[in-house]
Amino acid sequence: DPAVRRARPDADSDAMSHDRPPHRFLVPLDESLPTSETIDLATLLAHEVNGSVTLFAVVPPAVPAGDLGALGPVPDAGADLAGQEELERLAHERLDEIVARIGDGLETRTKIGWGPAGPAIVDEIERGAHDLVVVPTRREGELGHLVHDHTLRHVLHHSAVPVLVVPAGSRS
């Protein structure tokens, strides 16, 4: 749509072409959800269209030292920094394991973002050259729904590209 392209001039070179199916897939990874089905589907689609997959892990922010009122004091920043570094190390390990599982024959990138998951994913969508986001969702667990649904809703409402939602257990 020309009106949309004029509204986002920087998107002309990265926008999904209507002459070609999506071929640059972004797969956000969430520790709380089973993502193997999502990764498998994204890699299958990318193979079919000679595309690429970007695996995107989000490292949550460290809580700054201070007092959270009724919740009590937060530990000093040194402990938070060590925890943040550990979370980042684990994210790198997970990305490396997934890339090894995917194997050769597909252009695969890895990226790490920091902060709340929803905004971090949307920031990556806006910065990267992605034309389809493939995200998992769960079918059970009320508490997990609260956190994940908030992230998913944020991505669905703010994404500049289409979002494919893959239900957990969709291949069973």
Side-chain angles (χ1 to χ4, degrees), residues 13-86:
S13 62
D14 291 335
M16 181 175 72
S17 168
H18 295 287
D19 299 332
R20 181 174 180 189
H23 59 284
R24 297 168 299 192
F25 301 95
L26 175 65
V27 182
L29 304 175
D30 183 340
E31 287 297 323
S32 69
L33 290 172
T35 55
S36 61
E37 293 162 332
T38 306
I39 294 164
D40 292 347
L41 179 60
T43 56
L44 175 69
L45 292 171
H47 276 295
E48 290 294 320
V49 297
N50 196 26
S52 64
V53 172
T54 300
L55 303 169
F56 183 65
V58 179
V59 177
V63 178
D67 190 350
L68 296 179
L71 297 177
V74 175
D76 68 54
D80 291 338
L81 180 60
Q84 191 76 28
E85 289 171 350
E86 178 66 8

Side-chain angles (χ1 to χ4, degrees), residues 25-31 35 38-39 42 53-60 91-92 94-96 98-99 102 108-128 130 132-136 151 155:
F25 301 95
L26 175 65
V27 182
L29 304 175
D30 183 340
E31 287 297 323
T35 55
T38 306
I39 294 164
V53 172
T54 300
L55 303 169
F56 183 65
V58 179
V59 177
H92 279 289
R94 182 163 188 232
L95 289 169
D96 291 344
I98 294 169
V99 168
I102 292 172
T108 306
R109 297 179 191 92
T110 61
K111 291 187 175 185
I112 292 184
W114 296 267
I121 294 166
V122 171
D123 287 348
E124 175 56 29
I125 292 166
E126 291 172 356
R127 273 193 316 270
H130 313 291
L132 183 69
V133 181
V134 185
V135 296
T151 299
V155 172

Side-chain angles (χ1 to χ4, degrees), residues 93-168:
E93 282 181 8
R94 182 163 188 232
L95 289 169
D96 291 344
E97 289 169 7
I98 294 169
V99 168
R101 185 173 65 87
I102 292 172
D104 295 331
L106 179 66
E107 184 180 340
T108 306
R109 297 179 191 92
T110 61
K111 291 187 175 185
I112 292 184
W114 296 267
I121 294 166
V122 171
D123 287 348
E124 175 56 29
I125 292 166
E126 291 172 356
R127 273 193 316 270
H130 313 291
D131 48 29
L132 183 69
V133 181
V134 185
V135 296
T137 190
R138 68 170 66 229
R139 293 183 185 204
E140 70 233 17
E142 293 302 317
L143 187 57
H145 263 300
L146 290 175
V147 173
H148 180 69
D149 285 354
H150 177 72
T151 299
L152 182 58
R153 273 195 308 275
H154 188 88
V155 172
L156 289 170
H157 288 287
H158 298 282
S159 177
V161 299
V163 178
L164 174 62
V165 180
V166 182

